[in-house]
Amino acid sequence: MASDENLAKQMDRTLHWQILGALVLAAICGFIFEAGTGIGDAVLSVFDFVGGLFLNALKMIVVPLILSTIVLGIARMASQDSFGRVGAKTVGLYLMTGIFAIASGLFFVNLIAPGVTEHADKLVANIGDTSGIMERVEGRTAADLIGIIERAIPANIFSAAAETQLLALIFVGVVFGFFMSKLQGSIAETMTNFWTGVNDVMIMITMWIMRFAPLGVLALVGTVAIKSGWSAFQPLLTFAITVLLALAVHFAVILPLLLKFFGGVNPIQYYAAVSRAQLTAFSTASSSATLPVTIRSAENAGVSKRITGFVLPLGATVNMDGTALYECVVVIFIAQILATTSGVEFTIMQQLTVVILALLTSIGVAGVPAASLVAITLILTAVGLPVEFIGIVLAVDRILDMCRTAVNVTSDLSITAIIANSEGDALDAANEEQEDEEEAA
């Protein structure tokens, strides 16, 4: 038994290196193989199959894991009268980081102005196929944002679970957990044991699935690398750099500063402790599919289950810093192209409207690949920009989707660490260096 545990710990320590190796191999595949050729299509079919299996395996455990973690987290907090306090901190920090992210995107898109280019006419002429997106938003307006609230209270919990409506599952879990904390006697112990057992089993299944993560990452990222290729980036290189710079500032500057000064957590140590979740988010481009790994990474870093059980599932649904940033940059980028090609200027007030709508729509975006494109169309409609122009960014959206999902998950984990530290959790992995320095002093 001891040898098995040691082997598991060794695998746990080396897995993120294996995932990094898979990312490198996937990039190499993008250079070697080309979509449309015999061998390229054969590799793509294998990658699609393997990547699909890995994503399905992660999605398979999302519903029971979310319900069990939220129910247990809320029950523990409610029994200690900390539910309201933690909830207020969570919402406040989610709003703050979202505003910071949008401000970063707004700064860089106005500074670099990727839409002010001599190739603007060419970009408009080469607009991709937007039929799928148009069908999903046909007849919708910005007023449909109220649907976010409606979806939070499901008419049928089983339908919500079957469709993986995370906001509805979170609401049900919060209500169930809160009232479960009011039970007394043996029935309270029975209910706690049941949900604890479900949660423990889900965590074990998660760890088993993650043993295959390197293969899944290779397949998912390799598919994107082969299909996109370098040629897709060349016309949109400045736009992609703008988005990546803004995401990098939020990831490497803003969030670490918040961790250091608001949470008293060493950001380098903490990022190292949760790197597996960041890499998984990048490869899957889905914060929902990454949620099991996110929860496990936070707990390994020292965050208690009562905090992860509430903050992280909620964050996977409503805290989308990278998505809000991207929505802002895309809309302003399209406005710049329109101004360059037709002379229609985009005012400061319209930009402020974009900021507000980006924050609101990011809350309701599903944690799945490319879901933000639907939110972007709503913003374009609200500010009077041509929705069809979203086709300009489709060629590079998938790669940027992977990057912004990693930022989304990192933001969730950072806020979780800040709240956990404020609630007295000992983040051993994140505070190791700081404690060593204090002992030396």
Side-chain angles (χ1 to χ4, degrees):
M1 179 67 71
S3 61
D4 290 341
E5 292 179 357
N6 291 333
L7 180 59
K9 290 179 180 178
Q10 183 65 27
M11 290 182 62
D12 193 66
R13 285 192 294 266
T14 61
L15 187 58
H16 65 284
W17 293 112
Q18 296 174 27
I19 293 176
L20 279 172
L23 288 172
V24 173
L25 286 176
I28 293 173
C29 287
F31 284 105
I32 296 176
F33 304 110
E34 183 179 351
T37 62
I39 188 170
D41 289 343
V43 173
L44 276 176
S45 64
V46 174
F47 279 180
D48 283 337
F49 176 73
V50 175
L53 287 180
F54 180 65
L55 266 183
N56 288 342
L58 285 175
K59 292 177 180 178
M60 172 186 71
I61 60 176
V62 166
V63 171
L65 183 65
I66 285 180
L67 276 177
S68 60
T69 52
I70 287 183
V71 167
L72 288 173
I74 296 300
R76 288 164 181 155
M77 282 193 291
S79 64
Q80 299 173 10
D81 298 323
S82 59
F83 174 53
R85 184 177 67 250
V86 172
K89 291 178 184 177
T90 302
V91 173
L93 285 170
Y94 282 164
L95 289 174
M96 181 175 68
T97 58
I99 293 172
F100 284 161
I102 294 171
S104 177
L106 194 64
F107 171 78
F108 279 101
V109 75
N110 280 290
L111 176 66
I112 300 175
V116 182
T117 170
E118 59 184 9
H119 302 296
D121 290 328
K122 180 181 177 182
L123 290 173
V124 173
N126 292 330
I127 289 177
D129 181 16
T130 61
S131 57
I133 298 171
M134 299 300 292
E135 288 176 3
R136 294 168 67 181
V137 298
E138 186 177 2
R140 296 187 182 183
T141 65
D144 287 298
L145 294 175
I146 198 68
I148 295 172
I149 300 175
E150 294 176 350
R151 290 195 300 271
I153 304 178
N156 187 322
I157 180 58
F158 297 104
S159 296
E163 298 171 7
T164 319
Q165 298 177 13
L166 293 187
L167 210 57
L169 294 175
I170 289 172
F171 175 80
V172 172
V174 168
V175 173
F176 193 98
F178 178 79
F179 286 101
M180 192 180 85
S181 69
K182 306 303 178 185
L183 295 175
Q184 302 292 329
S186 60
I187 188 64
E189 183 178 353
T190 299
M191 291 297 294
T192 301
N193 289 338
F194 169 77
W195 286 109
T196 300
V198 172
N199 186 257
D200 289 346
V201 170
M202 289 302 104
I203 293 297
M204 286 190 287
I205 294 175
T206 299
M207 297 312 299
W208 174 70
I209 292 172
M210 285 308 297
R211 293 189 179 189
F212 304 96
L215 288 176
V217 169
L218 172 61
L220 291 169
V221 181
T223 299
V224 175
I226 295 173
K227 286 183 177 179
S228 298
W230 173 246
S231 59
F233 283 91
Q234 291 175 337
L236 296 168
L237 185 59
T238 306
F239 165 74
I241 290 174
T242 302
V243 174
L244 293 175
L245 279 174
L247 290 173
V249 167
H250 194 69
F251 178 89
V253 178
I254 296 175
L255 292 178
L257 286 176
L258 292 176
L259 277 170
K260 182 68 176 178
F261 295 105
F262 280 76
V265 177
N266 186 303
I268 298 176
Q269 294 286 328
Y270 187 68
Y271 272 26
V274 300
S275 59
R276 184 187 305 170
Q278 295 168 328
L279 292 170
T280 304
F282 176 80
S283 59
T284 62
S286 172
S287 52
S288 298
T290 308
L291 184 57
V293 187
T294 308
I295 292 173
R296 179 68 176 178
S297 296
E299 290 176 356
N300 286 342
V303 182
S304 65
K305 290 185 176 181
R306 71 184 183 92
I307 299 296
T308 60
F310 173 71
V311 178
L312 288 175
L314 185 63
T317 306
V318 303
N319 185 45
M320 300 286 182
D321 289 358
T323 298
L325 182 157
Y326 181 71
E327 291 174 7
C328 179
V329 173
V330 169
V331 174
I332 304 300
F333 171 62
I334 290 174
Q336 291 172 349
I337 291 177
L338 189 64
T340 303
T341 56
S342 63
V344 178
E345 295 296 332
F346 203 63
T347 66
I348 295 296
M349 289 305 299
Q350 286 175 305
Q351 290 201 25
L352 291 177
T353 301
V354 171
V355 169
I356 296 171
L357 290 176
L359 186 62
L360 292 176
T361 55
S362 67
I363 294 174
V365 169
V368 296
S372 59
L373 293 176
V374 177
I376 291 171
T377 59
L378 293 177
I379 299 176
L380 292 173
T381 302
V383 297
L385 293 174
V387 176
E388 295 79 8
F389 274 34
I390 198 174
I392 295 172
V393 302
L394 292 182
V396 296
D397 178 73
R398 176 65 181 183
I399 290 291
L400 297 178
D401 194 3
M402 296 160 72
C403 295
R404 63 183 182 261
T405 303
V407 172
N408 290 342
V409 170
T410 301
S411 177
D412 295 343
L413 286 162
S414 299
I415 291 172
T416 301
I418 293 171
I419 294 174
N421 206 321
S422 70
E423 291 294 311
D425 287 357
L427 274 66
D428 297 330
N431 290 322
E432 183 179 3
E433 182 178 283
Q434 182 177 339
E435 292 173 357
D436 289 342
E437 291 175 355
E438 292 175 355
E439 289 177 3

